[in-house]
Amino acid sequence: MFEDMKKQFHQNKTILITGGAGFIGSSIAERVCRDNKVIVLDDLSTGAKENLSGLVLDFRQGHTSQIAELVPEKVDLIFHLGIASSTMLYLNDRTLVGREINGSIAVFEKAVRDKAKVVIASSSSIYNQGDFPSKENQAVKITDFYTECRLSIERLAELYSILYNMRAVCLRMFAVYGGLREKGKTKFANMVTKFLWRMMDGKNPVSYGDGTQTRDFTYIDDIVDCWLLSALWDKSRFEIFNLGTGKEYDFNAVGEIINKVIGTNLEMQYEPNPLPNFVFRAWADTGKAEKLLGFSAKITLEQGIKKLHESTLKDQE
Ligand SMILES: NC(=O)c1ccc[n+]([C@@H]2O[C@H](COP(=O)([O-])OP(=O)(O)OC[C@H]3O[C@@H](n4cnc5c(N)ncnc54)[C@H](O)[C@@H]3O)[C@@H](O)[C@H]2O)c1
């Protein structure tokens, strides 16, 4: 069923990707631009145009709040990932919360005008407490400006769907890694990527605390599959799905797997955690996405690390 649904993905539609020059957005663009007209709207605050090189699409530089002027034509589908992507950015500038909420409101206004479906980037960080694995219907705990912003965007999307019939799916993504498009994210890249790239240089991986914090690491190809399936979802006007693998690994285990894959014996080094209210544990209950979307992640952490290792070696040739 999953493979059939992927084959049915839209053709000859106009698809707008906000944040399309970033890691995940450009990976989605790559998958859909051959069969559709793709417009990328990106302010290049953390993304890079190099992520789009070789792809046939229409790039427009600007903030989501400028969407009405920069993307005046009607679109059929919006993938909304153009929302500042790191906790640190919001800690350094709290006014970002308001700007990104207003940018998202502009995206939703366009979706209503164009009768376009919206798939929205949300985050596993909004759980930060409670039972594990985390379920979509459990209470969330907001402990920083990044998650406050993300939860507000989810709630506004639901409001637009109730009041203005906007069709929306929010994907609470868990620790995405894989491929080379994370290069531009430097210090904001995923821990798997940071560890692997350091260890390939013969340097010890560095973890905050004692390395027992966990994440549900999800490979980029699985992430893109789920975004495409979510765009086809038509059984309800508004839905929230976890997007993870259903497995948690601590940072020490990640270091061990990388040592095994690349044939090193580098020990984890530890340093104090500078982040207040750090998310200590993240682990997705994937039951809802499996049952309703027919989605389950295919790539294990070890397979994902092997793939990332191979593509990095190829890139270095
Ligand atoms: N990578 C992960 O593990 C992960 C997990 C959960 C949620 N997310 C969310 O998914 C989205 C994409 O993440 P990513 O890893 O590709 O990050 P990224 O930083 O590589 O991509 C974000 C892109 O959006 C652009 N952007 C940011 N704010 C914008 C705005 N207001 N208007 C226009 N463009 C804007 C940036 O320039 C960048 O190209 C982000 O919203 C992020 O918070 C990512």
Side-chain angles (χ1 to χ4, degrees):
M1 171 181 152
F2 177 55
E3 291 306 317
D4 289 348
M5 276 179 83
K6 271 197 315 182
K7 276 185 216 138
Q8 283 166 22
F9 190 74
H10 305 299
Q11 296 191 338
N12 305 319
K13 300 275 184 200
T14 302
I15 302 176
L16 169 61
I17 308 180
T18 74
F23 165 42
I24 303 171
S26 59
S27 306
I28 297 172
E30 181 176 41
R31 194 80 83 77
V32 298
C33 72
R34 206 181 38 205
D35 296 330
N36 297 278
K37 175 179 162 51
V38 171
I39 303 167
V40 163
L41 174 66
D42 198 300
D43 64 3
L44 297 182
S45 50
T46 55
K49 268 177 110 173
E50 295 79 75
N51 282 335
L52 301 173
S53 68
L55 305 185
V56 179
L57 47 74
D58 190 349
F59 176 76
R60 303 186 193 166
Q61 185 170 349
H63 191 265
T64 43
S65 55
Q66 299 168 282
I67 197 167
E69 309 96 85
L70 293 177
V71 191
E73 64 268 65
K74 186 178 179 317
V75 302
D76 300 301
L77 169 66
I78 303 176
F79 288 128
H80 179 34
L81 302 99
I83 311 163
S85 57
S86 151
T87 298
M88 286 309 280
L89 296 170
Y90 296 79
L91 259 186
N92 295 338
D93 176 7
R94 272 82 68 194
T95 65
L96 199 52
V97 176
R99 286 206 299 282
E100 296 307 61
I101 289 174
N102 280 332
S104 295
I105 288 176
V107 172
F108 300 157
E109 290 287 330
K110 177 162 181 64
V112 172
R113 254 190 330 269
D114 291 4
K115 297 191 169 41
K117 167 90 172 274
V118 198
V119 185
I120 301 156
S122 189
S123 170
S124 60
S125 300
I126 67 175
Y127 292 116
N128 204 7
Q129 69 150 9
D131 298 333
F132 291 97
S134 306
K135 281 192 168 64
E136 290 86 345
N137 60 2
Q138 79 185 45
V140 298
K141 186 172 183 194
I142 297 307
T143 52
D144 69 0
F145 294 95
Y146 168 69
T147 45
E148 177 59 45
C149 181
R150 212 46 71 119
L151 183 64
S152 302
I153 291 169
E154 277 192 1
R155 284 155 43 131
L156 283 162
E158 184 167 18
L159 209 51
Y160 269 85
S161 84
I162 294 167
L163 298 179
Y164 305 114
N165 290 326
M166 185 177 86
R167 290 166 300 140
V169 170
C170 298
L171 294 175
R172 290 181 179 165
M173 294 184 282
F174 284 70
V176 189
Y177 73 103
L180 299 175
R181 290 194 166 96
E182 263 196 292
K183 268 194 202 161
K185 289 187 76 172
T186 56
K187 64 177 187 244
F188 301 131
N190 187 273
M191 291 317 292
V192 168
T193 317
K194 285 202 272 200
F195 286 175
L196 177 68
W197 288 348
R198 270 185 76 82
M199 291 166 78
M200 285 178 75
D201 280 345
K203 294 181 189 144
N204 297 73
V206 182
S207 168
Y208 294 151
D210 62 1
T212 56
Q213 58 272 52
T214 71
R215 294 288 178 269
D216 183 337
F217 297 101
T218 314
Y219 195 75
I220 185 68
D221 294 0
D222 283 325
I223 292 282
V224 175
D225 283 349
C226 191
W227 275 76
L228 303 196
L229 282 172
S230 302
L232 297 175
W233 171 254
D234 61 2
K235 304 271 185 310
S236 58
R237 286 214 160 263
F238 178 80
E239 215 61 65
I240 295 174
F241 294 106
N242 284 342
L243 173 41
T245 69
K247 301 217 162 34
E248 65 171 351
Y249 290 88
D250 73 19
F251 287 9
N252 292 324
V254 173
E256 282 163 26
I257 297 173
I258 297 175
N259 270 325
K260 187 174 143 202
V261 168
I262 70 172
T264 49
N265 196 15
L266 293 159
E267 274 182 21
M268 188 69 68
Q269 285 182 350
Y270 302 104
E271 60 181 37
N273 189 345
L275 289 172
N277 301 321
F278 180 74
V279 176
F280 194 80
R281 209 172 163 198
W283 178 18
D285 182 305
T286 54
K288 184 177 174 189
E290 274 166 38
K291 193 167 159 213
L292 300 189
L293 287 178
F295 170 79
S296 54
K298 303 271 175 297
I299 300 168
T300 64
L301 180 57
E302 186 161 342
Q303 288 167 340
I305 288 172
K306 279 187 187 150
K307 277 170 171 281
L308 181 57
H309 182 222
E310 280 160 19
S311 41
T312 307
L313 286 175
K314 219 167 160 190
D315 188 54
Q316 289 170 347
E317 277 170 11

